[in-house]
Amino acid sequence: QVQLVESGGGLVQAGGSLRLSCLASEKISSKNVMGWYRQTPGGQREKVALMDSDERTDYEDSLRGRFIISRDIAKNTVYLQMNSLQPEDTAVYYCNLYTMTNSPRAYWGQGTRVTVAS
């Protein structure tokens, strides 16, 4: 059972930056996709940015350019650099891992809260 642990959330002023990290508890040897989703109170969980094990990226179009996803395969870690943050970016950010094996499976972290003050 892979565990995902996020860190890096917090309170930031509008226009500021934060960097989120997500550490997987073990090395993922199969093809996989790892990345970030977010959820606002009363809202749906939405994709932010994903990166597969071949380092191809998939961004929510409205966030491309402000948010940058990266991975350190050796450290089993995915990062999300968030720049020019706005109050509407306030949400709980969840790390996700999707393993593409014969029995595909999705794993979620516990979430890290990001609050952007105006």
Side-chain angles (χ1 to χ4, degrees), residues 2 6-7 13 20 23 35-37 40 49 67 69 73 76 88-89 91-92 115:
V2 178
E6 301 106 332
S7 59
Q13 294 294 316
L20 305 182
L23 171 65
W36 299 91
Y37 291 73
T40 57
F67 288 16
I69 190 170
I73 302 293
N76 307 328
E88 54 265 34
D89 295 316
V92 178
T115 303

Side-chain angles (χ1 to χ4, degrees), residues 37-98:
Y37 291 73
R38 69 184 184 183
Q39 187 168 17
T40 57
Q44 298 285 334
R45 192 169 295 190
E46 62 178 10
K47 179 189 72 180
V48 174
L50 305 173
M51 179 179 278
D52 69 13
S53 42
D54 293 322
E55 298 190 350
R56 291 172 295 194
T57 59
D58 179 16
Y59 288 93
E60 163 60 33
D61 285 343
S62 64
L63 301 176
R64 187 188 305 272
R66 284 198 302 125
F67 288 16
I68 302 169
I69 190 170
S70 60
R71 287 180 73 166
D72 187 330
I73 302 293
K75 294 183 178 179
N76 307 328
T77 302
V78 65
Y79 304 96
L80 183 68
Q81 178 67 42
M82 305 186 294
N83 300 318
S84 301
L85 284 162
Q86 300 302 316
E88 54 265 34
D89 295 316
T90 295
V92 178
Y93 285 71
Y94 294 92
C95 181
N96 172 264
L97 167 67
Y98 183 77

Side-chain angles (χ1 to χ4, degrees), residues 28 30-35 96-101 104-107:
I28 311 301
S30 62
K31 284 192 177 292
N32 63 83
V33 180
M34 200 168 179
N96 172 264
L97 167 67
Y98 183 77
T99 57
M100 293 180 280
T101 63
R105 185 166 178 179
Y107 300 87

